[in-house]
Amino acid sequence: MWTFSTSIPLVVVLFRAAFERDVLVDAFRLGHFGGENTNISRRYVPPKVSSALLLPRTWTERLTAKRDPTDNDYNNDWKPPAFVSERLQKADPLEIRLDTTLTSCYALCRFLIYDMSLPKKEIPGFEIADVVMLINAFTSAAVLAIYWVIAGIVTRNFEDGSDFDPKKLFLTAALAGPPWLATEILFRWPPGGVDEAAGAAVTIITGSLGLFSIMACGSALTSGWR
């Protein structure tokens, strides 16, 4: 005979059966609900229960559960080539910081010289065109710094204990200067981008030589500080 006290365990077990199938199957198999007259197949699949009815403890455990990493997880991790990793580990962050500061100063000095060569304005003051031109100049300096770091890693210009080496500086300037000036000309950033196409080759050659000269002078003067 069913009573209120005997129905409470049934409700609890049915509620748990939504996400613990084995508990429900074993309970029916052992005859916990009505004795031996219970004919429940072991293939009984409990009905689906809405996620809103799940116990907080259950979904919290599932969310916070940590899965052990598999072989696929390690295989899917991208790693740079061995020679790139080796050169990145040997690169000195101080050397990179000093060189990127000097390259940015060179790019901004070029823009300052170009700006001083422009004719005077009839109406003094900042205009929208001036703001855009200044943003382009700072962007050009940032692009040069990025190209210089990439070229310096390739030429081993930033390795620990590397002294002043004009050969490495020349190779680095030859790798970083032309792409930087070509980008400046492509996007028409001043001062390189204001020249016509016929003067692009001259701009690239003179700009790269100027970059090498400034970096060589700066490295020679600050070699004792490092």
Side-chain angles (χ1 to χ4, degrees):
M1 180 177 179
W2 291 95
T3 62
F4 179 78
S5 60
T6 58
S7 62
I8 293 178
L10 175 62
V11 173
V12 173
V13 174
L14 288 177
F15 192 78
R16 296 284 296 179
F19 48 87
E20 295 180 2
R21 176 181 174 184
D22 293 339
V23 174
L24 179 64
V25 173
D26 293 339
F28 276 104
R29 182 174 60 83
L30 295 176
H32 288 174
F33 310 125
E36 298 179 355
N37 295 328
T38 303
N39 296 323
I40 301 296
S41 175
R42 286 188 58 84
R43 295 184 179 182
Y44 170 78
V45 179
K48 295 183 178 179
V49 179
S50 174
S51 59
L53 299 178
L54 296 178
L55 293 177
R57 184 181 64 85
T58 302
W59 61 259
T60 303
E61 289 177 353
R62 291 182 180 181
L63 288 177
T64 57
K66 294 184 178 179
R67 179 177 59 87
D68 294 334
T70 60
D71 295 337
N72 293 331
D73 296 334
Y74 293 109
N75 294 333
N76 292 334
D77 292 341
W78 181 85
K79 295 181 180 179
F83 73 95
V84 176
S85 301
E86 179 184 357
R87 296 189 181 187
L88 287 175
Q89 292 177 357
K90 292 182 178 180
D92 187 2
L94 178 60
E95 297 286 341
I96 296 176
R97 188 183 67 182
L98 293 175
D99 280 14
T100 53
T101 302
L102 194 56
T103 55
S104 301
C105 292
Y106 169 68
L108 295 177
C109 286
R110 286 179 69 249
F111 171 75
L112 180 60
I113 295 173
Y114 162 76
D115 187 61
M116 292 174 61
S117 64
L118 295 177
K120 294 183 179 180
K121 294 182 179 180
E122 297 180 359
I123 302 176
F126 253 56
E127 299 177 356
I128 296 179
D130 298 328
V131 176
V132 173
M133 187 169 59
L134 189 60
I135 292 175
N136 291 338
F138 277 101
T139 306
S140 177
V143 170
L144 173 58
I146 294 172
Y147 285 159
W148 185 268
V149 171
I150 296 174
I153 292 174
V154 173
T155 59
R156 300 178 180 270
N157 191 40
F158 305 128
E159 291 189 359
D160 297 335
S162 58
D163 298 328
F164 172 66
D165 190 348
K167 182 180 179 180
K168 286 185 179 180
L169 286 175
F170 181 79
L171 291 176
T172 307
L175 291 176
W180 162 59
L181 293 167
T183 305
E184 193 175 69
I185 294 172
L186 177 63
F187 291 99
R188 303 191 67 83
W189 295 337
V194 299
D195 295 333
E196 299 295 335
V202 177
T203 301
I204 291 176
I205 294 174
T206 56
S208 300
L209 291 176
L211 176 64
F212 165 70
S213 301
I214 293 297
M215 297 303 297
C217 292
S219 299
L221 294 175
T222 61
S223 60
W225 303 353
R226 306 177 184 224

